[in-house]
Amino acid sequence: MLKEEFEDEFENDDEMDEAALEKFDEDPEEGFVPQVRDYSDRRILIWEEDEARRNACLEVLSDLLMGATLKAVATEAEALEQIEADDWDTFVVDFYTEGVSESDFIKRVNNYPGSILVALSMGPLTLPDERDPAKTEYLRRLFDIERSGTQLHA
Protein backbone atom coordinates (compact mmCIF):
# COMPACT_ATOMS: atom_id res chain seq x y z
CA MET A 1 0.00 0.00 0.00
CA LEU A 2 2.76 2.46 0.92
CA LYS A 3 4.59 1.80 -2.34
CA GLU A 4 1.43 2.58 -4.37
CA GLU A 5 0.88 5.85 -2.50
CA PHE A 6 4.51 6.84 -3.09
CA GLU A 7 4.26 6.04 -6.82
CA ASP A 8 0.98 7.98 -7.15
CA GLU A 9 2.50 11.01 -5.43
CA PHE A 10 5.35 11.19 -7.96
CA GLU A 11 3.47 9.93 -11.01
CA ASN A 12 3.64 13.32 -12.75
CA ASP A 13 7.27 14.10 -11.93
CA ASP A 14 7.77 15.97 -15.23
CA GLU A 15 4.99 18.47 -14.56
CA MET A 16 5.88 21.88 -13.15
CA ASP A 17 4.43 23.14 -9.90
CA GLU A 18 2.10 26.16 -9.84
CA ALA A 19 4.84 28.62 -8.81
CA ALA A 20 6.98 27.59 -11.77
CA LEU A 21 4.02 27.81 -14.15
CA GLU A 22 3.52 31.47 -13.20
CA LYS A 23 6.85 32.26 -14.90
CA PHE A 24 5.53 31.08 -18.29
CA ASP A 25 3.01 32.34 -20.83
CA GLU A 26 0.76 29.76 -22.45
CA ASP A 27 0.86 29.68 -26.25
CA PRO A 28 -1.88 27.40 -27.64
CA GLU A 29 0.40 26.18 -30.44
CA GLU A 30 3.66 25.86 -28.52
CA GLY A 31 2.54 25.12 -24.97
CA PHE A 32 4.35 26.98 -22.19
CA VAL A 33 6.89 29.60 -23.26
CA PRO A 34 9.27 31.23 -20.75
CA GLN A 35 8.59 34.90 -20.03
CA VAL A 36 11.39 37.17 -21.17
CA ARG A 37 13.24 38.77 -18.27
CA ASP A 38 15.88 41.47 -18.36
CA TYR A 39 19.05 40.68 -16.43
CA SER A 40 21.06 43.61 -17.82
CA ASP A 41 21.66 44.94 -14.31
CA ARG A 42 23.25 41.66 -13.16
CA ARG A 43 27.02 41.10 -12.99
CA ILE A 44 27.93 37.46 -12.43
CA LEU A 45 31.40 36.01 -11.83
CA ILE A 46 31.91 32.26 -12.32
CA TRP A 47 34.91 30.44 -10.88
CA GLU A 48 35.41 26.92 -12.25
CA GLU A 49 38.80 25.29 -12.79
CA ASP A 50 37.66 22.67 -15.31
CA GLU A 51 37.56 24.26 -18.78
CA ALA A 52 34.71 22.14 -20.15
CA ARG A 53 32.52 22.75 -17.09
CA ARG A 54 33.41 26.45 -17.03
CA ASN A 55 32.44 26.86 -20.69
CA ALA A 56 29.21 24.87 -20.22
CA CYS A 57 28.24 26.94 -17.19
CA LEU A 58 28.99 30.19 -19.01
CA GLU A 59 26.97 29.09 -22.03
CA VAL A 60 23.99 27.86 -19.99
CA LEU A 61 23.85 30.99 -17.82
CA SER A 62 24.30 33.28 -20.84
CA ASP A 63 21.35 31.56 -22.47
CA LEU A 64 19.28 31.66 -19.31
CA LEU A 65 20.04 35.17 -18.04
CA MET A 66 19.57 37.38 -21.08
CA GLY A 67 21.48 40.65 -20.84
CA ALA A 68 23.54 39.74 -17.78
CA THR A 69 27.26 40.46 -17.73
CA LEU A 70 29.03 37.16 -17.12
CA LYS A 71 32.71 36.44 -16.68
CA ALA A 72 34.20 33.00 -16.12
CA VAL A 73 37.66 32.45 -14.65
CA ALA A 74 39.76 29.33 -14.15
CA THR A 75 41.76 30.05 -11.00
CA GLU A 76 41.21 31.45 -7.55
CA ALA A 77 43.84 34.12 -8.26
CA GLU A 78 41.87 35.28 -11.32
CA ALA A 79 38.65 35.31 -9.28
CA LEU A 80 40.26 37.39 -6.52
CA GLU A 81 41.67 39.75 -9.16
CA GLN A 82 38.17 40.20 -10.63
CA ILE A 83 36.74 41.06 -7.19
CA GLU A 84 39.29 43.88 -6.98
CA ALA A 85 38.88 45.02 -10.60
CA ASP A 86 35.07 45.12 -10.97
CA ASP A 87 31.81 45.19 -9.06
CA TRP A 88 29.89 41.89 -9.01
CA ASP A 89 26.51 41.08 -7.51
CA THR A 90 26.56 37.30 -7.94
CA PHE A 91 29.30 34.69 -7.61
CA VAL A 92 28.93 31.15 -8.96
CA VAL A 93 31.13 28.29 -7.76
CA ASP A 94 31.05 24.51 -7.58
CA PHE A 95 31.50 23.44 -3.95
CA TYR A 96 32.23 19.89 -5.14
CA THR A 97 35.59 21.17 -6.39
CA GLU A 98 38.25 20.37 -3.81
CA GLY A 99 39.32 23.34 -1.70
CA VAL A 100 36.68 25.79 -2.96
CA SER A 101 34.63 25.94 0.23
CA GLU A 102 37.67 26.89 2.38
CA SER A 103 39.22 29.22 -0.18
CA ASP A 104 40.12 32.86 0.36
CA PHE A 105 37.78 33.66 -2.52
CA ILE A 106 34.76 32.27 -0.65
CA LYS A 107 35.80 34.12 2.50
CA ARG A 108 35.96 37.36 0.50
CA VAL A 109 32.63 36.70 -1.23
CA ASN A 110 30.93 36.04 2.10
CA ASN A 111 31.92 39.57 3.14
CA TYR A 112 31.17 41.18 -0.24
CA PRO A 113 28.35 43.68 0.33
CA GLY A 114 24.95 42.86 -1.19
CA SER A 115 26.12 39.80 -3.10
CA ILE A 116 24.67 36.37 -3.80
CA LEU A 117 26.79 33.22 -3.68
CA VAL A 118 25.33 30.46 -5.85
CA ALA A 119 26.84 27.00 -5.44
CA LEU A 120 26.09 24.82 -8.47
CA SER A 121 27.21 21.35 -9.34
CA MET A 122 28.55 22.22 -12.78
CA GLY A 123 29.21 18.65 -13.85
CA PRO A 124 25.72 17.92 -15.16
CA LEU A 125 25.14 21.30 -16.86
CA THR A 126 24.32 20.85 -20.53
CA LEU A 127 22.48 23.13 -22.91
CA PRO A 128 19.90 20.60 -24.11
CA ASP A 129 18.84 19.91 -20.52
CA GLU A 130 18.91 23.56 -19.54
CA ARG A 131 16.71 24.52 -22.47
CA ASP A 132 13.94 22.37 -21.01
CA PRO A 133 11.57 24.88 -19.32
CA ALA A 134 10.74 22.43 -16.53
CA LYS A 135 14.43 22.39 -15.54
CA THR A 136 15.51 25.96 -16.29
CA GLU A 137 12.90 27.66 -14.16
CA TYR A 138 14.38 26.29 -10.94
CA LEU A 139 17.89 27.28 -11.99
CA ARG A 140 16.73 30.75 -13.04
CA ARG A 141 15.06 31.28 -9.64
CA LEU A 142 18.47 31.18 -7.99
CA PHE A 143 19.34 34.37 -9.87
CA ASP A 144 16.01 36.13 -9.16
CA ILE A 145 16.56 36.22 -5.40
CA GLU A 146 16.95 39.73 -3.96
CA ARG A 147 20.59 40.47 -3.24
CA SER A 148 21.47 40.71 0.43
CA GLY A 149 24.52 38.56 1.10
CA THR A 150 22.56 35.39 0.39
CA GLN A 151 24.11 31.96 -0.18
CA LEU A 152 22.20 29.60 -2.44
CA HIS A 153 22.90 25.97 -3.19
CA ALA A 154 21.55 23.97 -6.12
Side-chain angles (χ1 to χ4, degrees):
M1 175 79 176
L2 182 61
K3 182 180 177 186
E4 289 173 3
E5 288 176 22
F6 182 78
E7 287 174 349
D8 287 344
E9 183 177 337
F10 294 101
E11 184 177 320
N12 297 320
D13 233 8
D14 293 334
E15 293 181 20
M16 288 184 274
D17 65 13
E18 290 301 316
L21 284 172
E22 291 174 8
K23 304 292 184 187
F24 290 80
D25 293 323
E26 188 169 1
D27 182 333
E29 293 180 18
E30 295 185 34
F32 291 100
V33 179
Q35 295 173 359
V36 177
R37 294 186 190 97
D38 179 19
Y39 291 93
S40 59
D41 66 332
R42 301 301 302 275
R43 297 189 45 79
I44 301 166
L45 179 63
I46 302 163
W47 169 31
E48 170 57 49
E49 293 176 354
D50 182 86
E51 183 178 10
R53 289 180 178 184
R54 181 174 61 252
N55 291 338
C57 183
L58 183 60
E59 192 169 350
V60 166
L61 293 181
S62 294
D63 240 25
L64 192 62
L65 307 171
M66 298 301 287
T69 299
L70 293 117
K71 173 120 180 144
V73 297
T75 67
E76 180 181 12
E78 289 175 300
L80 289 168
E81 185 178 299
Q82 285 300 314
I83 287 178
E84 294 296 324
D86 286 312
D87 290 327
W88 303 97
D89 57 60
T90 307
F91 301 93
V92 178
V93 296
D94 186 341
F95 276 153
Y96 287 117
T97 302
E98 188 176 330
V100 168
S101 61
E102 311 88 31
S103 69
D104 287 336
F105 175 75
I106 296 301
K107 291 173 188 170
R108 293 276 304 276
V109 166
N110 280 331
N111 293 311
Y112 199 89
S115 68
I116 297 172
L117 175 59
V118 178
L120 293 177
S121 176
M122 295 185 199
L125 287 179
T126 63
L127 268 182
D129 283 345
E130 300 312 321
R131 286 188 172 137
D132 176 358
K135 295 179 182 180
T136 57
E137 192 52 38
Y138 293 107
L139 180 58
R140 184 190 319 272
R141 284 183 188 184
L142 293 175
F143 296 90
D144 287 343
I145 302 292
E146 290 297 319
R147 297 181 289 265
S148 64
T150 307
Q151 288 189 18
L152 303 170
H153 302 273

